[in-house]
């Protein structure tokens, strides 16, 4: 301790105050560190990463200009910072919206938004069976299809672009909707609470540059819809008849009907387990 006191004396520091760190301080630091980590991790997975690196370069240049006393550059930066903040909000608007959507899709809120119908295991299992049956039959005859199974994030914005149906899910209904040259075949079907909510819905296309060029508009729309929601998006290719599922911006291609049923059944079991816990009934 005397060694450190001598160093402080040489630096002109006459009094050394030992910092007091409590549990709340440690918790505060951990929360801030986690938030910064999540922000960087999220930015790195979006187009904003290149823009973020450009901003870091500008700050580095400002630091160099401050050290070297480059007054003209400092004057330009100081007078444009207010405009720059507004410009950043405009440039990062899609990424900020996606971040807020991801926040709203958090598991905490899912316990408050699940309805009674979502806990109906028999209805959910029947819905999965009908979707799998329809996908298999449409794939066999190469009938293109696009089906969204709503989860925690409401798909009201997408539903309003289509035509309301409000019917029980059945393979015959789905096949009839996507039959060639029928009024409802163009667009997507949205399934909510084990019912067909709407058809001919328009979906946003993905902006990802990592999507294979061999994929058409239907697959790009499926990926785009899965990027802005937590829905399971089932796609049947009109060219090959192969079945794919988009989830969280990832496309799982060339699935068999058994694999499709497994994926959809697992998500239904997960949703039911969350509901049972919230209602206070232990899962057996």
């Amino acid at each position: 301790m005397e060694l450190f006191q001598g160093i402080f004396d040489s630096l002109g520091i006459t009094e050394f105050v030992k910092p007091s760190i409590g549990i709340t301080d440690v918790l505060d630091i951990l929360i801030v560190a986690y938030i910064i980590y999540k922000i960087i991790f999220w930015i790195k997975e979006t187009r904003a990463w290149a823009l973020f690196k450009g901003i870091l370069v500008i700050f580095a240049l400002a630091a160099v200009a401050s050290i070297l006393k480059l007054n003209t550059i400092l004057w330009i930066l100081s007078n444009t910072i207010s405009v720059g903040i507004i410009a950043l909000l405009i440039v990062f608007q899609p990424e900020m919206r996606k971040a807020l959507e991801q926040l709203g899709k958090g598991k905490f809120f899912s316990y408050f938004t699940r309805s009674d119908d979502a806990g109906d295991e028999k209805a959910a299992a029947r819905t999965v069976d009908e979707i799998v049956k329809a996908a298999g039959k449409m794939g066999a005859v190469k009938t293109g299809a696009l089906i969204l199974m709503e989860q925690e994030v409401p798909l009201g914005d997408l539903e309003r672009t289509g035509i309301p149906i409000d019917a029980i899910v059945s393979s015959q209904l789905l096949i009839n909707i996507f039959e060639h040259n029928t009024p409802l075949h163009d667009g997507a079907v949205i399934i909510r609470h084990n019912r067909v909510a709407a058809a001919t819905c328009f979906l946003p296309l993905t902006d990802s540059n990592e999507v294979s060029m061999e994929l058409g508009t239907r697959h790009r729309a499926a990926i785009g819809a899965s990027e802005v929601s937590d829905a399971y998006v089932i796609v049947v290719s009109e060219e090959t008849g192969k079945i794919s599922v988009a989830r969280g911006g990832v496309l799982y291609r060339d699935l068999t009907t058994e694999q499709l049923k497994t994926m959809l059944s697992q998500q239904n079991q997960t949703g039911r387990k969350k509901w049972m816990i919230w209602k206070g009934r232990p899962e057996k």
Side-chain angles (χ1 to χ4, degrees), residues 6-279:
I7 295 175
F8 293 140
D9 292 338
S10 63
L11 295 175
I13 301 176
T14 58
E15 184 178 358
F16 174 72
V17 179
K18 183 180 179 180
S20 177
I21 300 178
I23 297 178
T24 55
D25 298 317
V26 174
L27 182 62
D28 188 22
I29 294 172
L30 291 176
I31 292 175
V32 172
Y34 178 76
I35 292 174
I36 294 175
Y37 165 76
K38 293 297 290 185
I39 291 175
I40 295 176
F41 182 79
W42 163 71
I43 290 177
K44 193 172 183 180
E45 292 185 336
T46 65
R47 295 174 299 169
W49 180 242
L51 297 174
F52 182 72
K53 291 189 291 185
I55 293 173
L56 292 180
V57 172
I58 293 176
F59 276 110
L61 292 176
V64 173
S66 178
I67 295 174
L68 300 178
K69 304 298 183 180
L70 303 177
N71 296 325
T72 303
I73 296 177
L74 291 175
W75 180 84
I76 293 174
L77 292 175
S78 63
N79 283 274
T80 57
I81 187 170
S82 58
V83 179
I85 293 175
I86 298 175
L88 286 177
L89 293 176
I90 297 174
V91 171
F92 286 100
Q93 186 270 337
E95 284 74 16
M96 293 176 63
R97 178 177 178 179
K98 184 176 179 180
L100 293 175
E101 290 174 346
Q102 293 292 334
L103 181 63
K105 290 191 296 184
K107 295 181 179 179
F108 176 79
F109 297 100
S110 65
Y111 295 112
F112 299 94
T113 57
R114 185 171 295 276
S115 66
D116 291 338
D117 291 337
D120 190 344
E121 183 182 11
K122 292 183 179 180
R126 181 186 177 279
T127 298
V128 169
D129 289 339
E130 294 297 321
I131 292 174
V132 171
K133 186 188 299 183
K137 290 183 178 180
M138 288 187 289
V141 296
K142 296 184 179 180
T143 298
L146 189 55
I147 304 171
L148 281 74
M149 293 185 66
E150 184 183 81
Q151 302 300 308
E152 310 296 343
V153 178
L155 300 176
D157 291 341
L158 302 179
E159 180 184 351
R160 282 190 287 271
T161 65
I163 299 175
I165 301 294
D166 191 23
I168 296 174
V169 178
S170 67
S171 59
Q172 295 88 347
L173 175 60
L174 294 175
I175 293 172
N176 187 68
I177 289 176
F178 291 109
E179 185 65 31
H180 293 288
N181 301 322
T182 57
L184 301 179
H185 85 282
D186 189 17
V189 163
I190 294 179
I191 295 177
R192 175 188 300 116
H193 300 163
N194 305 311
R195 297 182 67 86
V196 178
T200 69
C201 300
F202 293 98
L203 306 183
L205 300 180
T206 180
D207 294 328
S208 175
N209 295 323
E210 299 179 359
V211 178
S212 174
M213 296 299 296
E214 66 184 34
L215 297 178
T217 304
R218 184 176 284 109
H219 290 81
R220 289 182 172 273
I223 298 173
S226 70
E227 289 174 341
V228 299
S229 71
D230 59 349
Y232 279 76
V233 188
I234 300 96
V235 187
V236 179
S237 174
E238 188 174 353
E239 289 75 20
T240 64
K242 294 181 178 179
I243 302 172
S244 304
V245 172
R247 170 72 169 173
V250 179
L251 184 67
Y252 303 90
R253 302 176 61 183
D254 304 341
L255 301 177
T256 64
T257 53
E258 290 78 12
Q259 291 172 326
L260 174 62
K261 183 174 182 179
T262 300
M263 290 184 66
L264 300 183
S265 298
Q266 286 176 348
Q267 64 90 12
N268 278 327
Q269 288 296 328
T270 301
R272 180 174 179 269
K273 184 176 182 180
K274 289 180 181 179
W275 172 248
M276 296 287 280
I277 292 174
W278 173 249
K279 295 295 289 185

